[in-house]
Amino acid sequence: MTAPALVEARGLSVAYGPAAPVLSHVDFTLQPGEIVTIVGPNGSGKSTLLRALLGMVPGTAGSVTRAPGLRVGYVPQKLHLDPNLPLSVARFLRLNRKLTGDEIAHLLSRVGAPGLEERALATLSGGQLQRVMLARALAGNPQLLVLDEPTQGLDQPGTAAFYRLIEDVRRELGCAVLSVSHDLHVVMSASDRVVCLNGHVCCEGTPSVVSNAPEYRALFGLGTGGALALYQHHHDHGADHPDHPHDHETCDHDH
Amino acid sequence: MIIDAFVLRALGAGLLAALATGPLGCFVVWRRMAYFGDATAHAAILGVALALGFNVSIFAGTLVTAFAMALMVSSLAGRGWAMDTTLGVLAHSALALGLVAASFLQGVRVDLEAFLFGDILTVQVSDLIAMALGTAAVTALMLWRWEALLTATISEDLARSLGLKPEREGMILTLALALVVAVALKVVGALLIGALLVIPPATARVMARTPERMALGAVAVAALSVVLGLMASLWFDTPAGPSIVAAAAGLFVLSLGAGRVVRA
């Protein structure tokens, strides 16, 4: 239980320029193998926390400690894909990394996107692109998989399928998964721990603890309690949420 | 058939410019920096005027002003004005200031047309040496940083997660751009350097399946444009710089047709 943390932040504050800090006094710890989701409204500093934890933006106060030699697989929020940049999936996977054709084929079939090697990246669907980015993140056999709003632009079945894939991958590799989402519907049930962020840590705990926490409800409203239905419907199946009919449509996937 | 030495020097200069502009031009296209390239190139006229005024090498003067201009554009980006407004202000101001500054140079005969549209047929051996050094520097930068530049172009976050510094890669592109402006000034002139940066990569795009082939294709297209443009210039007595760009434009139109065939 007291294995050294993969990433640890103590009293972390981040500000961009002279403006009010995006994050203030955040304490955060990630243990090996943990699945942690950071949720929060737009502008709550979710992505900033992720970047600060990875050392991509400097903190203005506090400290961030990463395990020595930590292998991180990072899935960015989006790519800047100019249509005039001819880039195949295989070449994208090889950017700054040496991979054989076999390794690429294996990675692609691992993420459920076999045979895409020669496709141009710009022609992939949103779901295919997410899988390819995940394949890239897995290439270095990461101890920590980091996903920044990974299901943006995916529909609900696509989102559910993508998160199932993440869970499979995690079971296989035993890596920790740190993701950012305002996509509470799916992510929460897959998580060991949810951190609710709004410039500071509002509350954290298991998905059910957080979804019942008054701080969380104040931030997201009561209605989202039904959001857990998609994945954790066995926990709160009895509850009926007439204001969220969509969640029930997608329940079918897990029955 | 005897080829005059000045034609060979012109050809050498043109091919060096093709080698320097091709790979960098691809990044100009991929990162949508076409106006950035224009602004940097226009600053070269101010560099020429300053170099003549202070009696230093035109190559060095151009290099320094173009780099200063590129730095200024980078630092002004995102300060309230849209990028194309900032570039529009700076590019045209630099050009106008350069032309005004050149008019103050008394006693020195400044052939402005040569700097605006190039003067490849008067290239001297000393020019060629400076251009070769500049091209070697640009090529070395491109080869050294290729993967990092490509990664930073596709996603700055992805680059940062790999420990790369996108800001530094941007600075390397800026430096390479200033070098290319200094190299290509004699070939097509300040007003048409932007064309040499954008048209060959756009032409090569149709056939290219990888970033590397697009870069090599851009060099090949630019080199062919130089040969065709020079031949046209000698046969029809047209100005060399604009003829080279016109040849590139012709190849671009042909590539559109070829692209249609490839897709069909």
Side-chain angles (χ1 to χ4, degrees):
Chain A
M1 188 59 228
T2 49
L6 292 182
V7 188
E8 184 161 22
R10 284 282 158 260
L12 176 68
S13 298
V14 179
Y16 295 114
V22 184
L23 291 176
S24 36
H25 309 295
V26 172
D27 292 326
F28 178 86
T29 309
L30 186 71
Q31 300 294 338
E34 248 190 324
I35 304 186
V36 174
T37 304
I38 303 169
V39 297
N42 286 337
S44 60
K46 304 182 297 275
S47 292
T48 301
L49 176 57
L50 215 62
R51 286 160 201 228
L53 290 172
L54 295 185
M56 288 156 63
V57 295
T60 45
S63 66
V64 175
T65 324
R66 282 178 297 277
L70 179 69
R71 296 187 306 277
V72 177
Y74 176 74
V75 178
Q77 202 171 90
K78 57 174 185 284
L79 299 179
H80 167 87
L81 283 178
D82 191 282
N84 287 317
L85 173 52
L87 195 68
S88 68
V89 168
R91 182 70 182 84
F92 173 69
L93 294 177
R94 281 200 184 99
L95 269 180
N96 267 291
R97 187 163 265 155
K98 286 195 168 51
L99 291 173
T100 66
D102 282 348
E103 285 168 326
I104 287 176
H106 176 76
L107 280 169
L108 285 176
S109 58
R110 182 65 205 85
V111 298
L116 289 186
E117 283 93 334
E118 295 311 315
R119 284 277 299 278
L121 214 54
T123 65
L124 298 182
S125 72
Q128 287 172 325
L129 187 59
Q130 282 304 336
R131 282 159 196 266
V132 168
M133 292 208 282
L134 178 63
R136 209 202 123 86
L138 295 178
N141 189 24
Q143 296 161 283
L144 169 59
L145 189 60
V146 178
L147 307 122
D148 192 353
E149 306 232 11
T151 59
Q152 246 182 8
L154 298 189
D155 57 15
Q156 282 197 338
T159 301
F162 187 73
Y163 279 118
R164 269 199 296 274
L165 175 62
I166 299 283
E167 287 181 64
D168 287 350
V169 164
R170 198 209 72 110
R171 253 197 307 278
E172 236 170 77
L173 298 179
C175 57
V177 178
L178 177 61
S179 68
V180 150
S181 182
H182 51 232
D183 206 343
L184 302 161
H185 304 245
V186 182
V187 129
M188 287 188 68
S189 65
S191 310
D192 298 320
R193 193 152 57 93
V194 174
V195 176
C196 179
L197 199 70
N198 192 22
H200 59 281
V201 176
C202 293
C203 55
E204 66 180 303
T206 62
S208 54
V209 165
V210 167
S211 65
N212 290 319
E215 295 90 343
Y216 169 82
R217 298 207 157 200
L219 213 51
F220 287 100
L222 293 169
T224 46
L228 283 168
L230 181 58
Y231 249 52
Q232 280 208 327
H233 52 273
H234 48 282
H235 288 304
D236 49 7
H237 212 182
D240 215 303
H241 307 283
D243 51 339
H244 275 264
H246 296 292
D247 299 324
H248 292 277
E249 283 168 24
T250 47
C251 272
D252 296 336
H253 293 282
D254 286 337
H255 279 291
Chain B
M1 176 179 146
I2 297 163
I3 301 178
D4 288 306
F6 79 92
V7 176
L8 284 180
R9 287 197 299 271
L11 192 61
L15 294 179
L16 282 171
L19 187 57
T21 50
L24 182 69
C26 287
F27 282 106
V28 168
V29 168
W30 296 334
R31 297 167 77 108
R32 305 188 183 179
M33 292 166 62
Y35 279 109
F36 191 101
D38 263 349
T40 311
H42 288 182
I45 291 298
L46 185 58
V48 168
L50 291 175
L52 291 173
F54 292 103
N55 208 13
V56 296
S57 130
I58 289 181
F59 189 91
T62 316
L63 180 60
V64 170
T65 4
F67 190 52
M69 178 63 157
L71 285 183
M72 195 171 3
V73 174
S74 304
S75 67
L76 284 178
R79 292 234 186 131
W81 296 98
M83 193 60 187
D84 68 335
T85 308
T86 305
L87 286 171
V89 169
L90 289 176
H92 298 119
S93 307
L95 186 58
L97 274 177
L99 295 173
V100 169
S103 76
F104 282 119
L105 296 169
Q106 286 168 0
V108 188
R109 249 205 73 213
V110 185
D111 182 5
L112 270 180
E113 206 172 305
F115 296 110
L116 289 171
F117 301 110
D119 198 12
I120 195 174
L121 296 174
T122 66
V123 164
Q124 302 301 308
V125 172
S126 58
D127 297 324
L128 272 180
I129 292 170
M131 291 176 69
L133 290 174
T135 303
V138 171
T139 309
L141 276 176
M142 289 288 114
L143 288 174
W144 174 46
R145 300 310 302 168
W146 184 260
E147 290 282 314
L149 282 168
L150 209 49
T151 310
T153 299
I154 293 163
S155 166
E156 296 203 344
D157 282 342
L158 186 63
R160 280 199 194 91
S161 80
L162 296 167
L164 301 170
K165 297 200 164 44
E167 297 77 16
R168 193 178 76 146
E169 306 306 330
M171 197 54 75
I172 283 168
L173 277 186
T174 302
L175 179 61
L177 191 57
L179 279 164
V180 162
V181 168
V183 166
L185 184 68
K186 266 273 188 184
V187 178
V188 289
L191 291 185
L192 291 174
I193 288 174
L196 208 55
L197 279 170
V198 170
I199 301 178
T203 308
R205 170 65 186 101
V206 182
M207 301 294 190
R209 297 290 303 275
T210 69
E212 292 74 24
R213 279 186 218 161
M214 182 160 153
L216 292 177
V219 171
V221 169
L224 187 56
S225 306
V226 164
V227 173
L228 293 174
L230 269 182
M231 279 162 56
S233 166
L234 293 172
W235 283 341
F236 306 117
D237 198 23
T238 51
S243 303
I244 290 170
V245 174
L251 292 174
F252 175 73
V253 172
L254 285 180
S255 81
L256 292 181
R260 208 157 288 150
V261 173
V262 167
R263 271 192 294 274

